[in-house]
Amino acid sequence: MKPKQFFLSRLQLLWVWGFAALFAWLLQACHSSQSGAIQHSDAAEAVYVPPGKYDEFYAFLSGGYNGQVSVYGLPSGRLFKIIPVFSVNPENGYGYSEETKPLLMTSYGFIPWDDAHHSELSQTEGVPDGRWLFINANNTPRVARIDLKTFETVETIEIPNSAGNHSSPFVTENTEYVVAGTRFSVPTPQEDVPIDSYKKNFKGVLSFIKVQPSGNMDLAFQVMMPGFDYDLAHAGKSKSKDWVFFTCYNSEEAHTLLEVNASQKDKDFVAAINWKKAEEYVQQGKYHQMPGIYYDNRFDTSTQTAHSIVHQGVKVLIPSECPGLVYFIPAPKSPHGVDVDPSGNYIVANGKLNADLSVFSFDKIQQAIEQKQFDGNVDGIPVLKFDAVLAGVVKSGGLGPLHTEFDDKGNAYTTFFISSEVVKWKLGTWQVEDRQPTFYSPGHLMIPGGDSHKPWGKYLVALNKITKDRYLPTGPELCQSAQLFDISGDKMKLLLDFPTVGEPHYAQAIPASILMPRSDKIYSLANNKNPFVTKTEKDAKVVRTGRRVDVYMTEIRSHFVPDNIEGIRLGDTVYFHVTNIEQDWDAAHGFAVEGNQNNAELLLMPGQTKTLKWIPQRVGVFPFYCTDFCSALHQEMQGYVRVSPANEQIALTWSTGKE
């Protein structure tokens, strides 16, 4: 097909899609008016959580380009917390305090931002267990782990030989591994080569990160794949628990104008990887040791301080040298999501340019492998015959299928980006049961436990990409949109629209009853092993070592010790080591000092120590104060630091609350 003809056909196709989407919406509007759609008063009552009561679920939404994770309650849609992960956060000093700066270190240096796409809860026997939340960094390839006792980031690990960490960080059934696939194939190892040598020099690497019982992550091995674009992933469960599935597009291995050149073939692939087999090959020494510098940054909860471990080299498996490690499953062109049902038997892989949904059978995949029902190979990777592994097709589901999740009643739910709807269909019969408009284009969707062995299946959240005309306008930039549906009955019922921060891609939710008992209320001051901790006011002090000054400071309602410091000179670097010595829940304090160049405030929870680096810029007397309203005398919680000329010999003195 000539390029001009191709563009024309795509334009015609878009017109068809547009009319079909409008027709589907009109049909749905008519259907909703006749099917007892939930009334406004009923919807409001269904999402109302009265004062003093709790939401049923915690929902963790990725922040997209804000590099963070947002915590919402369901069904209320209330925002509870923003957890900084890959972006500095002046609200609490994350990435600004000396204790947290190492969490943002990479082989490129200190990177204070990233693009966070997919949140993933840790699992035990295929069910979310509430220990940790993982989140990927798409831009500078990293995976982070959040401790759900404290809702704080405790580890970030960089991924070498990768670019665009998109199909990440999905976990295996018992959180043995977190997987991470490269979106962009690149020269591996990196080298200076012409871009048009793509087919010769570019490869895609899939990473398997081992999760220790403590939660600490280690890059165990990588699998070197053809130079495709690896889009999304999900691990198997139950019968398929030893496997991980990755969608990939651009099997043409094009390197320019992918909109045209990566859509030439009728089918791309799902890569099925047997991670148990990979472990065996690694143990047998069948790997190649390849270069690659990467940082593993870990936060020690006892010292309340992060540190960096720098690694060099990684074990890489080559599929052509490891029979049985990888198989390709043909899928309709440009597949996006790949989702595994609760039984572990059905794998849904949707081609974005296809109106039908293809569902594959794990049992049939195993049978096809055993019977060698192959349709050639790619770089030594066998390609399974499409018809041999196909379980069924959901006909005319919609336009632009992206992602699928599952409830606890044998139903699947798929988002359709172009026709702007969520479609419910039945596993096994492949029949469409219901469809509801989202009004604007949905990407991911989330059902609590919907990608697990035992979904809770009460609610569905559609994460929409456009909000025009949906909320109050806020200039050219609009907020993102989420919609909450009740899926407990035969028909989906829209309960709530609520705006979200950043650009959420994926979300996970877990019952509050699992997380609440695990939640820490304070940090134990007695167990605080930060090397700069000041546990009592009598231990407060100021120490000069050359041009470095260390201030060991306490804060409690409603004063600092020390609260006046003199003898600081221009040219000094001052480190304020501040400890909140409160031991009552929700007795937080802040700390900020005037002229805090290239830095932010600190926000300290009870029993916590954080360090603020301050380099005075001018002579004078500068106030510091508590930034978090802590008591009736919060305004009185302040102090001063005096800065003298560099050549002045002013004695270093401080006050501890006594005249």
Side-chain angles (χ1 to χ4, degrees), residues 435-448:
R435 60 178 72 238
Q436 289 292 328
T438 58
F439 304 99
Y440 292 105
S441 303
H444 278 276
L445 76 165
M446 179 273 291
I447 294 171

Side-chain angles (χ1 to χ4, degrees), residues 10 65 130 211 259 341 352 507 532 631:
R10 287 177 69 88
Y65 42 67
V211 182
E259 179 188 15
D341 86 306
K352 297 194 296 289
F532 300 105
S631 71

Side-chain angles (χ1 to χ4, degrees), residues 392-424:
V393 176
V394 181
K395 291 288 187 180
S396 302
L399 299 174
L402 293 185
H403 299 281
T404 301
E405 295 230 333
F406 308 90
D407 67 14
D408 53 345
K409 302 179 184 67
N411 300 304
Y413 302 77
T414 301
T415 51
F416 288 84
F417 184 82
I418 296 172
S419 52
S420 294
E421 58 187 333
V422 176
V423 174
K424 173 183 177 181

Side-chain angles (χ1 to χ4, degrees), residues 300-321:
D300 186 327
T301 55
S302 64
T303 63
Q304 301 181 6
T305 303
H307 64 282
S308 298
I309 306 167
V310 182
H311 296 277
Q312 303 225 18
V314 61
K315 299 178 176 67
V316 177
L317 298 173
I318 309 296
S320 61
E321 301 172 359

